[in-house]
Amino acid sequence: MGARSLTADGDGRFDSAVATLADGRELAIRVGDDDETSRELAAEALALRAMTAGARAMLPFRVPEYVGETRIADGGALVAELLPGFQIEAGDVPQGRGAATSMGAAIAAVHSLPASVVRSAGLTARSAEEVRSEIRQLVDRAASTGRVPARLTVRWREAVEDDDLWRFESAVTLGGVKSTSFLFDDDPERGPFVTGLLDWHGLSIGDPAVDLAWLSSAPDAAADVHAAYAEASDRSPDSALAVRARMVAELEFARWLVHGDLLRRSDIVDDAATLLESLAQGLRENDLSVIAARGEGVDSALDALDSVPATTAAGTAISMETDAYNPADLMPEEFEDAYVGEPTQDLSDVAGAWGDGADDSAHSGERAASAHATPTAERPDRSTHDDSSDEGDPADEAQRAARAALQRWTNSSSE
């Protein structure tokens, strides 16, 4: 038996380690160091136990096996199976066949699970109207701080009142997938494909859009992920899915604002207000309704959602990141050369689910958002993994270099 650390290069939210058993199996051990992280680990444990053998058999990828729970010092600890695989940052997920299409199919598979998986475990279940009501309350609460730009408040309130947006069928969801929730292996023919899925602590029944909101940070892959999701889904078509997903992404900033206001933390409130102002600057003057946005598109300053600290006030749902896997430790050696060594954030212009295109005002939002980024232990140590046909493409190399250069400039200017 043996043990080693389990973390990426960053400030992790959990103390984590890998234990190797006598039979060669490896277990991931995560310890929460406060009440919030301990509650998250408890929720993860409940969700993993809810994933019975029958439920797992319905999925085309692996889910970590629950092993046990305990307390270490003052924090809760979760022991689960360590799954192999590498991760890809949202902004580095390439378009086309491979990672994007596999991710879309994986999300569809989760959403196709029977509701009994969640209900039998006593987990949260929300109808479309309940989801709508919660968002209405969030928008009103954020607006009451006086720090949300008026155009965003109007935009979100019009969206909430747009009945066409809320005619969806609730589904089993993870409560907010991240790009780094997916573990990949590589295939010489079809490219990277999903072999495992992490972050089950938000398992519930609710709006399928929450698991697609991360695509606002993946402009290259968004269309292919949505298309693969629609093709693999056995559910009724949801024409407003992409619009709601974009709205969920934008509201992450509102959640951060509300969180800071409730804690009376002026630094958090100022941070969230800066992000919201940057978002508002990226919107066209006449795009204050969802109906208009569907047809005309929206120029957005929305930056990578990983830059929004993953905490919120009690009683509001928000996706939380956890320590998981260090790609440098888990990546097969034959894939090492296909990765760029320096980690980057997604600093590209985001043409989100509400439309295409971006203007110069979006760039100021990128710099503002990334300047307040909080590193997490999920952040991979490698950049994107492309299909072999794309290797050496000067345009792709230039794009990666530009992102890295912009990140270095942002970091130096914010110090």
Side-chain angles (χ1 to χ4, degrees), residues 6-177:
L6 174 61
T7 183
D9 295 332
D11 296 331
R13 297 180 56 245
F14 300 97
D15 293 326
S16 306
V18 175
T20 303
L21 305 184
D23 60 5
R25 288 187 301 153
E26 290 192 318
L27 304 178
I29 305 170
R30 289 178 290 163
V31 181
D33 58 6
D34 55 32
D35 290 342
E36 180 184 338
T37 52
S38 294
R39 283 194 298 269
E40 184 175 324
L41 288 178
E44 178 101 358
L46 182 59
L48 293 182
R49 292 199 303 270
M51 293 299 296
T52 62
R56 292 166 185 267
M58 300 178 188
L59 300 174
F61 51 78
R62 294 177 64 186
V63 177
E65 290 278 1
Y66 169 84
V67 176
E69 297 168 82
T70 186
R71 291 195 67 82
I72 298 178
D74 294 328
L78 172 64
V79 182
E81 176 188 19
L82 179 71
L83 299 182
F86 61 87
Q87 297 158 300
I88 307 176
E89 284 284 352
D92 295 324
V93 179
Q95 64 182 2
R97 182 171 60 92
T101 53
S102 184
M103 293 165 101
I107 296 171
V110 173
H111 293 178
S112 296
L113 287 172
S116 58
V117 171
V118 169
R119 296 188 187 280
S120 62
L123 297 173
T124 302
R126 298 180 182 87
S127 66
E129 192 54 41
E130 287 171 332
V131 171
R132 184 183 190 178
S133 178
E134 287 185 3
I135 290 181
R136 180 184 286 112
Q137 292 175 23
L138 172 62
V139 172
D140 290 344
R141 180 66 182 83
S144 71
T145 67
R147 301 299 298 273
V148 180
R151 63 198 308 188
L152 287 181
T153 301
V154 172
R155 172 184 174 84
W156 294 336
R157 282 178 171 163
E158 288 185 347
V160 169
E161 300 309 320
D162 181 357
D163 291 338
D164 290 340
L165 270 183
W166 308 101
R167 295 190 177 101
F168 66 84
E169 177 186 357
S170 292
V172 173
T173 75
L174 290 181
V177 170

Side-chain angles (χ1 to χ4, degrees), residues 297-309:
V298 174
D299 293 333
S300 172
L302 195 70
D303 203 271
L305 291 183
D306 285 344
S307 67
V308 179

Side-chain angles (χ1 to χ4, degrees), residues 4 30 43 158 163 224 230 250 268 273 278 401:
R4 58 184 171 86
R30 289 178 290 163
E158 288 185 347
D163 291 338
D224 290 316
E250 293 183 1
I268 295 178
S278 298

